[in-house]
Amino acid sequence: MAVPRRCVFCGSSGKLTNEHAWPGWITRELLRRGAVASRRWGEAGEFVGFDSPNHDVTVKRVCETCNTEWMAGLEGRIIPILLPWVRGRRARLVYEQQELIATWAVKTAMMLQYTPVYAGGAVIPASQYAGLFRRKTSPPDGVEVFIGIEPSGPPGALFGIRGLHVLVKDEASLAPRYARYLGYEVTMIARHLVLKLLGHVGGPADFSVSEGFDLPGLKPLTKIWPPEASGGVLLPPSYRPGGAGS
């Protein structure tokens, strides 16, 4: 007997609803009405995909309560903040905006992980879905969020998700000794907007994945979460990615 799916956030066994992985306001901004959306994925030489006038990318993983209450509220608040970024304009971000963008970025990455476009297996753990549900207005522990602008504005929306093996040195040990934890990296690009997430599970609360990895894609980005100053952040000129997930 098949085990019914539960809401990935609250764990409810009630009826699940379709949630847009890429929110509708982003696909409406990026694709004109009647445009054909092309969806392809896989390794070099591997082709799986189709062309369709349907721009929606939905996943049936959340309950109606989560979808229509805290998730819908988050989406409504983020549009006026991020839409200018999608169009290539930036502004100083104050603490509340940093928190809101970071929360939305985590929620969106969590939904994209369940799309058929991503077939690499779950790297964002269930514990962080539950952590986001408990807070609803701020990211779970162990997540860093970075933002930037891509000046060339690639067509459509792109994302990359990959797992990381995180090694943390035990500073209290006289001999070199390391603990291994699971981590992940997510890159999301919507025309000019670039968001990158780095996360880990089970490591020390004060450990930052960005400090343990030499990731060249981070250098042009600005860290917005956890916040480094209560007065907000000023942003560098632009971001030129080597590709989603780089």
Side-chain angles (χ1 to χ4, degrees):
M1 181 177 178
V3 177
R5 285 181 175 176
R6 293 178 176 270
C7 175
V8 294
F9 290 113
C10 71
S12 169
S13 59
K15 181 180 178 181
L16 300 183
T17 59
N18 286 317
E19 162 69 2
H20 288 80
W22 280 119
W25 66 269
I26 285 185
T27 55
R28 288 191 296 270
E29 174 69 18
L30 300 185
L31 298 171
R32 69 184 185 278
R33 181 175 296 180
V36 174
S38 179
R39 298 169 190 167
R40 289 168 173 80
W41 56 91
E43 301 295 334
E46 178 188 2
F47 174 83
V48 181
F50 59 92
D51 295 328
S52 170
N54 179 12
H55 302 160
D56 293 337
V57 180
T58 60
V59 292
K60 205 167 188 178
R61 292 285 186 163
V62 298
C63 68
E64 184 175 8
T65 300
C66 283
N67 197 348
T68 59
E69 293 185 4
W70 70 270
M71 294 175 73
L74 176 62
E75 210 67 52
R77 294 171 61 202
I78 201 67
I79 295 174
I81 298 174
L82 281 188
L83 190 55
W85 287 78
V86 175
R87 294 172 177 173
R89 300 193 298 271
R90 68 181 71 237
R92 177 173 181 154
L93 297 175
V94 299
Y95 174 88
E96 290 78 10
Q97 293 169 322
Q98 292 174 236
E99 184 177 43
L100 188 62
I101 293 172
T103 305
W104 179 88
V106 172
K107 182 274 300 180
T108 302
M110 288 176 169
M111 292 294 94
L112 288 170
Q113 180 170 246
Y114 284 110
T115 62
V117 178
Y118 173 70
V123 296
I124 305 175
S127 61
Q128 291 195 343
Y129 283 78
L132 179 61
F133 173 71
R134 285 193 299 269
R135 296 181 179 179
K136 298 183 178 65
T137 57
S138 64
D141 293 335
V143 180
E144 300 171 82
V145 182
F146 302 77
I147 195 170
I149 288 284
E150 161 51 39
S152 64
L158 310 172
F159 75 93
I161 303 176
R162 65 168 177 162
L164 300 173
H165 293 291
V166 180
L167 293 177
V168 181
K169 185 177 181 180
D170 182 359
E171 299 294 343
S173 175
L174 295 178
R177 186 164 57 187
Y178 296 84
R180 183 183 296 272
Y181 303 99
L182 295 178
Y184 59 87
E185 177 187 14
V186 181
T187 304
M188 299 180 287
I189 304 176
R191 189 172 291 155
H192 296 289
L193 169 68
V194 180
L195 290 166
K196 186 181 285 287
L197 280 66
L198 294 173
H200 68 88
V201 183
D206 59 350
F207 174 75
S208 297
V209 175
S210 60
E211 296 177 1
F213 281 82
D214 182 18
L215 298 172
L218 285 182
K219 294 177 182 177
L221 299 176
T222 298
K223 186 175 182 177
I224 60 172
W225 196 264
E228 297 180 347
S230 60
V233 294
L234 296 174
L235 304 158
S238 62
Y239 171 60
R240 295 183 180 276
S246 64

